Amino acid sequence: MSQKRILIVDDEKVLCRSLKMDLEDDGYKVSIANSGEEAIEKFSGFIPVVVLLDLRLPGINGIQVLKKIIDYDKDIAVIIMTAYGDTETTVEAIKCGAYHFINKPFELEELKKLVKEAIDSHALKREVEYLRYQQRRFYRFCDLVGQNSKMREIYNQIEILSKTQDTTVLILGESGTGKELVASAIHFKSKRNKAPFMEINCASLPENLIESELFGYEKGAFTDAKQQRKGLLELADGGTIFLDEIGEMPLSIQAKLLTFLEKKQFKRLGSGEDIEVDARIIAATNKDLEGAIKEKKFREDLYYRLNVVSLNIPPLRERKDDILLLANYFFEEFCRDMGKITKELSPEVEEMFNDYPWYGNVRELRNVIERVVIFCKGNTIDKDLLPHEMITSQKEKMGGLTGRKNWLNGQPIDALLSKVEKDIIEEALRQTKGNKSRAAEILGISRYSLTRRIDKLRND
């Protein structure tokens, strides 16, 4: 885990060396500056959590150094080391944003206590910032639930990966299968669980916003950069970054991410200084990254750097024995939240749930359960409460069964297969209202492959 960094700024070299040795013995990472100018030069590259700052310095004085530190990052705790008689200057320092002060000469244990309190205060501020970020996150669509053999294997892999602290993980699976939940399970079962789990969806933000969200920026880095902002990588120090839909990340950002994975360092936008961060990367995608590499849309070197360990999350249609288990779990959740009596599925609806393809996976199942709980007035869920697409799917299934004898009708097999393929593609496009990218996801193929198939069917 990352060491807490302390910068000592004092022109008394013997005092600095003594403090450095004592604080390093306590597990801190310590740097020394013997002047205000040296402190400012070292500061942006070192990024301390706490600064021990003497007010009387050669050249730039302590107040000027303090103002530059606070301007750079107001969350950094600056402890003023002051001699008796500097009361007026000390008061000015507190007004400028110093965390606390200690009079020279001081007891070492008293200083260490102040340092610990300052670090705890910094951690609390970061936790508040993290909680605010969590409120803005895309809502979590389900808990990780299932007894299917494929899911039990996933649980076993989560247990193993949670014991490794730095191994990069690539989670593969269709949209709605629970990739985010697998990532968070790895994080919260690991020793990093007391640090943040930060998520960014690479498909939901334009290129410039992805870059600023991940790496942060300096004041004035671009037109709207009114003040400095930390990126998710910096906020996740000691924790985990989850990069959802990594296949949608622009190539320019992929290069910067690769640099971070190799060096554990990055630069904020508008800064030339390297910032060192200890954060684990877990990425996820529903795209064929190997296909994207061939199309020059994803970096091959980044793919191999991310794909140290890969987890394949099965779609819901491949774990049918979990469908009713999940349904009952969601019924309990929504009935509890809405203050309703727990509902149950009628035998007919249970059969429909098991037969339905669930192209939207667990997310779609959860949404259906939420809908029927809202509108159900009794204790049993009947067919009439289900969404139109589920009713239509059952009718088409029944029609397919009764009409099976007429399939051949003297037609060659290639013509029959083309008709079936056309019907499947049309159904996927109908469900996605013509969105080819989403339809391709449902069908488990690339958008390019879907377009090629459509063109071929039109020409046949």
Side-chain angles (χ1 to χ4, degrees):
M1 301 299 287
S2 60
Q3 292 175 291
K4 301 302 180 185
R5 296 178 287 273
I6 299 174
L7 176 63
I8 302 171
V9 186
D10 199 308
D11 60 343
E12 295 182 46
K13 295 183 179 179
V14 174
L15 173 65
C16 288
R17 284 196 296 270
S18 175
L19 283 177
K20 185 176 190 291
M21 286 188 292
D22 282 314
L23 291 169
E24 284 180 339
D25 285 344
D26 288 345
Y28 299 112
K29 188 173 183 179
V30 182
S31 184
I32 292 172
N34 296 128
S35 69
E37 289 84 354
E38 186 184 359
I40 292 167
E41 183 181 343
K42 282 189 173 182
F43 181 83
S44 58
F46 187 60
I47 311 294
V49 175
V50 175
V51 177
L52 302 177
L53 177 63
D54 186 28
L55 285 178
R56 296 184 178 181
L57 294 169
I60 299 175
N61 65 39
I63 293 294
Q64 290 172 300
V65 174
L66 171 65
K67 287 178 178 178
K68 287 188 176 293
I69 290 172
I70 296 301
D71 186 54
Y72 185 88
D73 188 342
K74 59 182 174 53
D75 289 336
I76 290 173
V78 181
I79 298 173
I80 300 297
M81 299 186 293
T82 177
Y84 285 109
D86 282 341
T87 306
E88 186 177 337
T89 313
T90 304
V91 170
E92 183 185 355
I94 298 298
K95 286 181 179 178
C96 288
Y99 170 76
H100 217 297
F101 69 93
I102 188 168
N103 288 312
K104 290 182 176 181
F106 48 74
E107 295 292 332
L108 180 60
E109 291 307 314
E110 183 185 0
L111 177 67
K112 286 184 176 182
K113 183 181 176 184
L114 256 183
V115 167
K116 186 178 183 307
E117 288 174 353
I119 287 172
D120 290 343
S121 174
H122 181 271
L124 181 61
K125 287 179 180 178
R126 203 172 83 167
E127 185 176 347
V128 169
E129 191 168 354
Y130 168 59
L131 290 172
R132 286 174 180 163
Y133 161 76
Q134 287 284 64
Q135 290 178 342
R136 299 193 302 269
R137 288 180 63 202
F138 187 75
Y139 73 92
R140 296 169 67 110
F141 55 83
C142 72
D143 291 328
L144 204 54
V145 174
Q147 294 299 322
N148 176 272
S149 60
K150 292 182 179 180
M151 289 305 296
R152 287 200 298 270
E153 179 58 27
I154 294 294
Y155 301 150
N156 182 53
Q157 291 171 321
I158 288 171
E159 289 293 338
I160 293 170
L161 289 169
S162 65
K163 292 178 173 60
T164 66
Q165 300 307 308
D166 298 307
T167 304
T168 305
V169 181
L170 180 62
I171 304 174
L172 307 170
E174 294 178 9
S175 180
T177 50
K179 298 187 291 293
E180 176 199 355
L181 295 170
V182 172
S184 63
I186 293 170
H187 168 77
F188 288 112
K189 284 180 174 289
S190 76
K191 291 182 179 179
R192 293 180 177 271
N193 59 11
K194 290 182 172 60
F197 174 77
M198 310 297 278
E199 177 201 351
I200 182 169
N201 188 309
C202 303
S204 64
L205 295 172
E207 181 175 342
N208 61 324
L209 286 183
I210 292 177
E211 188 171 13
S212 61
E213 282 287 312
L214 266 181
F215 303 105
Y217 52 80
E218 297 293 340
K219 182 179 179 181
F222 48 86
T223 305
D224 294 326
K226 308 295 183 188
Q227 59 186 16
Q228 181 216 73
R229 181 179 175 184
K230 295 178 182 178
L232 297 185
L233 283 173
E234 196 169 347
L235 292 174
D237 189 22
T240 303
I241 283 281
F242 176 52
L243 302 172
D244 200 5
E245 305 297 353
I246 186 73
E248 303 296 335
M249 179 177 279
L251 284 168
S252 59
I253 312 299
Q254 290 178 33
K256 292 191 71 172
L257 177 61
L258 180 63
T259 301
F260 171 74
L261 286 168
E262 291 173 342
K263 299 181 179 179
K264 292 292 184 180
Q265 293 179 343
F266 67 95
K267 293 179 175 68
R268 291 193 189 121
L269 289 175
S271 172
E273 299 289 343
D274 285 321
I275 297 174
E276 186 178 331
V277 165
D278 170 33
R280 180 181 198 166
I281 297 292
I282 299 179
T285 184
N286 57 20
K287 290 187 70 172
D288 173 16
L289 291 186
E290 292 182 355
I293 291 169
K294 291 176 182 176
E295 296 173 9
K296 306 297 183 185
K297 293 181 179 178
F298 201 83
R299 292 180 64 111
E300 186 173 15
D301 48 4
L302 177 59
Y303 172 71
Y304 289 118
R305 191 65 184 78
L306 289 171
N307 194 26
V308 177
V309 176
S310 62
L311 296 182
N312 286 277
I313 313 302
L316 191 54
R317 62 183 173 276
E318 292 181 10
R319 41 185 288 224
K320 285 184 174 292
D321 44 340
D322 281 341
I323 291 173
L324 296 183
L325 177 70
L326 281 160
N328 288 323
Y329 177 83
F330 292 138
F331 274 129
E332 289 182 10
E333 176 189 336
F334 286 118
C335 288
R336 181 177 61 249
D337 292 347
M338 297 180 197
K340 293 188 173 186
I341 298 171
T342 304
K343 315 294 181 184
E344 61 179 22
L345 299 172
S346 69
E348 181 186 18
V349 172
E350 283 189 355
E351 185 179 350
M352 290 176 66
F353 268 50
N354 281 325
D355 289 341
Y356 188 65
W358 299 109
Y359 294 120
N361 291 297
V362 181
R363 182 187 289 123
E364 182 183 7
L365 174 61
R366 186 180 189 275
N367 291 343
V368 168
I369 299 299
E370 183 176 14
R371 169 200 168 112
V372 298
V373 169
I374 290 171
F375 291 107
C376 182
K377 295 180 180 178
N379 296 332
T380 304
I381 306 299
D382 292 317
K383 180 179 174 180
D384 59 342
L385 286 170
L386 299 180
H388 172 73
E389 56 268 24
M390 290 191 71
I391 306 294
T392 304
S393 177
Q394 187 197 35
K395 287 179 179 177
E396 289 174 353
K397 176 175 175 289
M398 296 304 294
L401 287 171
T402 56
R404 184 174 294 170
K405 293 178 183 179
N406 298 322
W407 279 5
L408 296 177
N409 198 26
Q411 296 184 67
I413 190 169
D414 288 343
L416 286 169
L417 290 175
S418 293
K419 184 179 186 307
V420 171
E421 183 178 6
K422 182 180 179 183
D423 289 344
I424 291 171
I425 290 173
E426 286 179 350
E427 173 61 17
L429 290 170
R430 184 191 67 77
Q431 288 194 25
T432 59
K433 298 180 181 178
N435 186 318
K436 288 185 180 179
S437 297
R438 179 75 184 99
E441 288 177 15
I442 289 174
L443 296 171
I445 59 178
S446 68
R447 191 180 190 281
Y448 171 78
S449 179
L450 175 62
T451 303
R452 186 166 49 81
R453 287 170 185 263
I454 291 172
D455 291 341
K456 183 177 180 299
L457 289 170
R458 283 174 180 166
N459 295 328
D460 285 348

